[in-house]
Amino acid sequence: MAVETIRIAGISKPVSRVGLGTWAIGGSMWGGSNDDESIATLHAALERGINLIDTAPVYGFGHSEEVVGKALVGRRDKAIIATKVALDWDDAGRVTRNSTPERIRKEIEDSLRRLQTDYIDLYQVHWPDKLVAIEETARTLEDLYREGKFLALGVSNYSPSQMDKFRGVAPLATLQPPLNLFERGTTETELLPYAKYHQLVVLAYGAICRGLLSGRMDPQTTFGEGDLRSFDPKFQPPRFGQYLAAVEELKAFAHQRYGKSVMALALRWVLDSGPTIALWGARRPQQLEGVEDVYGWQLNADDMRDIDAILNKHIPEPLGAEFMAPPHRA
């Protein structure tokens, strides 16, 4: 089955509509990772036609970018690298937002070194920083764009009004918000319409909701110390049981109606929601099995209504991804 692609302004190559998310590859907050397995996963993704690799300095405090850089030696031309900027951390691993020009200029040089490349395809502001004017952040990044440091510019976790301020200074090509069957919120009601109107591409992070929509979890699934799912409220009782019940019914729906897995259904839902790319987090090659089942079919209006009915039945009070927001600096 042919890989579905989309165009991002400023990037000449078609971009796969399923991208590889590499937060878990960084190791921290996911119970660790194995670099050899991670590199094999990145190679497997490229072999399966996934050419968008989404990473960030804060993923493992540089480690994810380093692993991506090692994996792409000799393969740089096959990949579209998306990384981020404007988070800082201290020696204890405490993360805060930092969009100062000094931080941005330091981060891009550090990212280029770790990624072993002389340019980044898509550079994204990870979170807005209330202590720095959005226009100042945009000016700094516009200068770096003119210096040839990256090809396209995006933002992550920005509101429409914040993007309006940014776009008044520098052009935006993408936005990256949380979006999956379980976490919709303002992404569905505000950001997708904004992207459609302004012809931006949406990189949807958390497309399988931190593995919840993989179909591989059950009530006995546990998460070790340091795994962010150990404090994600969706994975705590009684809510975990509610979400698992919804997954089981979605699993039956996907199989009966399309002969697909619940994971393929979850990713297809993201792709059918707008000008979107679904970011699929993986750190082992076998986790990429089934990506071909995402392509070549579509959900219709009846499917969307039936899916919503399943969710409303099992999850009376859905939760968003707000728990992941890093604090502002003091």
Side-chain angles (χ1 to χ4, degrees):
M1 182 60 64
V3 173
E4 292 181 29
T5 61
I6 195 168
R7 292 282 182 173
I8 293 177
I11 298 174
S12 60
K13 290 184 287 190
V15 183
S16 60
R17 291 196 69 200
V18 173
L20 181 67
T22 64
W23 188 2
I25 280 173
S28 66
M29 302 190 78
W30 292 91
S33 64
N34 177 288
D35 287 358
D36 290 338
E37 266 198 325
S38 297
I39 290 170
T41 303
L42 286 151
H43 292 169
L46 294 174
E47 289 164 7
R48 291 174 180 268
I50 297 173
N51 65 357
L52 178 69
I53 310 298
D54 183 76
T55 187
V58 77
Y59 298 165
F61 308 120
H63 190 63
S64 176
E65 286 190 328
E66 289 174 350
V67 173
V68 170
K70 290 176 184 176
L72 294 183
V73 171
R75 294 175 168 86
R76 177 65 180 92
D77 62 323
K78 300 181 185 304
I80 293 167
I81 298 175
T83 194
K84 306 178 189 75
V85 68
L87 289 182
D88 203 351
W89 58 87
D90 61 18
D91 291 340
R94 290 183 291 258
V95 177
T96 53
R97 311 182 194 198
N98 189 344
S99 289
T100 59
E102 297 79 14
R103 179 63 183 169
I104 290 172
R105 285 195 166 273
K106 179 182 186 305
E107 277 203 87
I108 197 164
E109 296 303 329
D110 288 345
S111 289
L112 289 168
R113 172 179 50 79
R114 288 189 291 250
L115 291 164
Q116 302 186 48
T117 185
D118 56 1
Y119 74 96
I120 291 160
D121 296 279
L122 175 62
Y123 205 45
Q124 305 159 96
V125 184
H126 209 152
W127 286 84
D129 178 0
K130 70 178 182 180
L131 299 182
V132 179
I134 287 172
E135 294 85 351
E136 183 178 7
T137 300
R139 274 192 293 273
T140 303
L141 288 162
E142 175 72 3
D143 289 344
L144 291 173
Y145 169 75
R146 293 182 186 281
E147 293 170 24
K149 302 291 187 181
F150 56 84
L151 302 181
L153 185 55
V155 292
S156 180
N157 303 297
Y158 269 52
S159 69
S161 62
Q162 290 169 329
M163 285 189 282
D164 282 340
K165 290 180 181 178
F166 197 104
R167 291 173 54 249
V169 177
L172 280 179
T174 67
L175 60 148
Q176 184 172 153
L179 180 64
N180 57 65
L181 279 168
F182 293 148
E183 296 171 331
R184 307 187 191 186
T186 57
T187 300
E188 187 172 51
T189 58
E190 298 177 16
L191 298 180
L192 285 171
Y194 186 94
K196 291 174 185 175
Y197 184 79
H198 293 288
Q199 297 183 305
L200 307 178
V201 174
V202 176
L203 278 67
Y205 72 78
I208 58 171
C209 200
R210 295 169 291 289
L212 193 51
L213 285 158
S214 68
R216 297 176 180 142
M217 294 182 182
D218 59 41
Q220 283 70 51
T221 302
T222 58
F223 307 97
E225 185 179 354
D227 191 312
L228 86 164
R229 290 167 293 190
S230 66
F231 54 86
D232 181 340
K234 291 181 192 63
F235 295 83
Q236 316 308 317
R239 291 188 182 274
F240 191 36
Q242 296 171 353
Y243 281 94
L244 287 177
V247 170
E248 285 304 308
E249 193 162 344
L250 289 169
K251 190 183 294 186
F253 172 91
H255 178 72
Q256 292 166 8
R257 200 160 296 189
Y258 288 101
K260 303 290 185 181
S261 68
V262 68
M263 187 160 60
L265 175 74
L267 292 165
R268 188 70 247 174
W269 182 89
V270 171
L271 297 189
D272 289 343
S273 295
T276 49
I277 293 170
L279 295 177
W280 183 342
R283 53 183 161 172
R284 290 183 290 275
Q286 57 267 35
Q287 291 176 319
L288 294 171
E289 292 174 4
V291 66
E292 61 278 357
D293 291 336
V294 179
Y295 302 127
W297 59 291
Q298 286 186 311
L299 295 166
N300 59 41
D302 289 339
D303 295 329
M304 294 294 196
R305 282 192 294 269
D306 291 342
I307 288 169
D308 287 346
I310 292 170
L311 300 182
N312 292 335
K313 172 184 171 183
H314 292 286
I315 308 169
E317 297 178 2
L319 300 172
E322 297 83 3
F323 81 99
M324 289 194 288
H328 292 273
R329 286 166 290 138

